[in-house]
Amino acid sequence: MSAVVQTPVGMLSADSDGQAITRLIWGRGGNLTEGPLAAQFVNELTAYFAGERQDFTLPLAPRGSAFQQDFYAALCAIPYGETRTYGDLAVDLGVSAQAIGQACGANPIAVLIPCHRVLAANGLGGYSGAGGIEAKVTLLRLEGAAGLLI
């Protein structure tokens, strides 16, 4: 049985390469089942959703191009409770806002790599995690960033 965390955005589990998280799964079924990494995954997500943790120390290994790796690093640099726009990240990374939107949609480790902190210039933008925009709003509210949406 996989390490599963019940959260306000649904059950979350993960895949691992044995050393790091490679994919977040919305629901049950990840291959991360036991051991220190599984315990850390459960503990950190539980603490995050309880409002007791603002960042993650889990080792992450998302697959992707050099641009995607730079993009994931830029997402992880957005502080808890803060947001950036697709345009902000596009300028920082020297790509189009559309490329940022596509990279957000392809993020394999949502929540842990916080693509929910990226907004459109005039609204929420999308969210690729299960639950879509409602999940994004839930995560932003948890982090105290929902006031930006009103």
Side-chain angles (χ1 to χ4, degrees):
M1 172 168 236
S2 62
V4 178
V5 181
Q6 181 61 49
T7 77
V9 297
M11 281 192 257
L12 300 176
S13 60
D15 279 342
S16 164
D17 63 7
Q19 302 297 312
I21 304 295
T22 58
R23 185 169 68 117
L24 186 79
I25 297 169
W26 299 79
R28 296 181 183 273
N31 71 8
L32 183 62
T33 58
E34 57 187 31
L37 184 59
Q40 184 180 2
F41 173 78
V42 170
N43 289 340
E44 288 195 15
L45 277 173
T46 300
Y48 170 78
F49 283 103
E52 299 166 356
R53 171 176 281 280
Q54 294 187 355
D55 57 358
F56 298 101
T57 61
L58 284 158
L60 305 176
R63 294 177 184 91
S65 67
F67 160 69
Q68 288 169 313
Q69 296 302 320
D70 290 345
F71 171 72
Y72 299 142
L75 288 181
C76 290
I78 302 171
Y80 179 96
E82 294 185 23
T83 60
R84 301 289 183 274
T85 66
Y86 296 109
D88 293 336
L89 290 174
V91 169
D92 291 347
L93 295 173
V95 298
S96 70
Q98 182 180 14
I100 296 299
Q102 290 170 341
C104 278
N107 176 6
I109 313 177
V111 181
L112 301 174
I113 297 177
C115 54
H116 60 275
R117 296 179 188 155
V118 182
L119 306 176
N122 58 358
L124 283 172
Y127 191 65
S128 62
I133 295 299
E134 291 81 14
K136 185 173 190 170
V137 169
T138 298
L139 293 167
L140 291 170
R141 282 187 177 137
L142 172 74
E143 294 187 6
L148 301 169
L149 309 175
I150 299 171

